[in-house]
Amino acid sequence: GAVVSQHPSRVICKSGTSVKIECRSLDFQATTMFWYRQFPKQSLMLMATSNEGSKATYEQGVEKDKFLINHASLTLSTLTVTSAHPEDSSFYICSARDDDSYGYTFGSGTRLTVV
Amino acid sequence: GIQVEQSPPDLILQEGANSTLRCNFSDSVNNLQWFHQNPWGQLINLFYIPSGTKQNGRLSATTVATERYSLLYISSSQTTDSGVYFCALNTGFQKLVFGTGTRLLVSP
């Protein structure tokens, strides 16, 4: 079945530094990928839609200069949290939409802790 | 935007019991999926069910699109069923909007 690899699974960084999270579709091509954020005991909130070869579309209230998204190939999207602060600590999950089947597959998530 | 409400928010069951989870949505949808998020955060796709009824083992789901709701049935629950259940909808603009979730705890 379709597999999405997300790395790292867990990261701790110092306040003010940047962190990059990778989302890779292993056995299918995904022109479109999605990035979600989930706070404890809450639902998944869509942050942005990542489109290969073009700029990402950000949801209202999400700072595009803080959450940089790059989707340079049909199998890889990256999310960079720039100048991270403790309030950015959260669980980040990516999803890739299969270009052929239109199915959605989710990565295993990245738990970010900013200290 | 579309609103997606799930009920109940929390549910505690004894192993072996049956349960019904509900997902109400505010607009017509193209797609509807049910997910189980395990304690480690991994989302497992249970059903793709924009309409009708499907069954997979102890789980089944029914969506009545005209009345804007979907139901997930869990029969003979097991401790491994514990976690959070989400419905998520596709409104035709590709992105999936997630419901508020139902947190299930199945005790031995």
Side-chain angles (χ1 to χ4, degrees):
Chain A
V3 177
V4 169
S5 174
Q6 185 174 343
H7 290 284
S9 58
R10 190 180 297 267
V11 58
I12 301 173
C13 71
K14 290 186 177 180
S15 190
T17 62
S18 296
V19 173
K20 180 184 284 189
I21 303 169
E22 287 192 356
C23 180
R24 194 181 298 270
S25 58
L26 297 186
D27 48 4
F28 64 96
Q29 293 187 332
T31 301
T32 305
M33 294 187 180
F34 305 90
W35 288 96
Y36 292 84
R37 179 168 55 184
Q38 185 180 30
F39 291 108
K41 298 193 176 184
Q42 294 189 20
S43 185
L44 281 75
M45 298 300 297
L46 181 67
M47 299 174 65
T49 301
S50 169
N51 299 295
E52 186 270 337
S54 65
K55 291 183 179 180
T57 303
Y58 290 82
E59 295 298 301
Q60 191 173 5
V62 178
E63 301 174 56
K64 61 181 179 181
D65 294 330
K66 179 167 190 60
F67 299 99
L68 299 180
I69 291 173
N70 183 276
H71 193 155
S73 79
L74 290 174
T75 59
L76 175 64
S77 176
T78 61
L79 170 69
T80 301
V81 183
T82 63
S83 187
H85 289 99
E87 56 265 31
D88 298 323
S89 299
S90 188
F91 190 58
Y92 293 86
I93 306 175
C94 72
S95 172
R97 180 174 170 268
D98 190 318
D99 285 349
D100 292 329
S101 70
Y102 302 104
Y104 296 81
T105 304
F106 286 79
S108 54
T110 297
R111 194 164 303 281
L112 170 64
T113 303
V114 184
V115 297
Chain B
I2 190 168
Q3 303 297 312
V4 187
E5 294 288 333
Q6 292 183 239
S7 60
D10 296 280
L11 186 58
I12 300 175
L13 297 176
Q14 200 76 21
E15 200 168 24
N18 303 328
S19 63
T20 301
L21 282 58
R22 187 177 180 101
C23 172
N24 290 332
F25 42 97
S26 62
D27 205 347
S28 57
V29 296
N30 287 342
N31 305 322
L32 187 147
Q33 293 181 244
W34 281 96
F35 293 91
H36 175 218
Q37 186 173 39
N38 67 22
W40 297 272
Q42 177 71 56
L43 280 166
I44 308 300
N45 186 20
L46 299 176
F47 292 103
Y48 166 75
I49 186 163
S51 64
T53 298
K54 289 186 177 179
Q55 181 159 5
N56 184 3
R58 295 182 296 105
L59 302 181
S60 63
T62 296
T63 297
V64 184
T66 54
E67 297 186 23
R68 299 182 182 173
Y69 73 88
S70 182
L71 302 174
L72 177 69
Y73 306 96
I74 304 175
S75 65
S76 303
S77 58
Q78 301 175 357
T79 56
T80 52
D81 295 331
S82 296
V84 185
Y85 289 81
F86 290 105
C87 61
L89 314 175
N90 180 316
T91 62
F93 297 100
Q94 300 189 44
K95 61 185 181 182
L96 280 178
V97 177
F98 278 76
T100 49
T102 292
R103 188 172 302 272
L104 174 65
L105 175 63
V106 181
S107 57

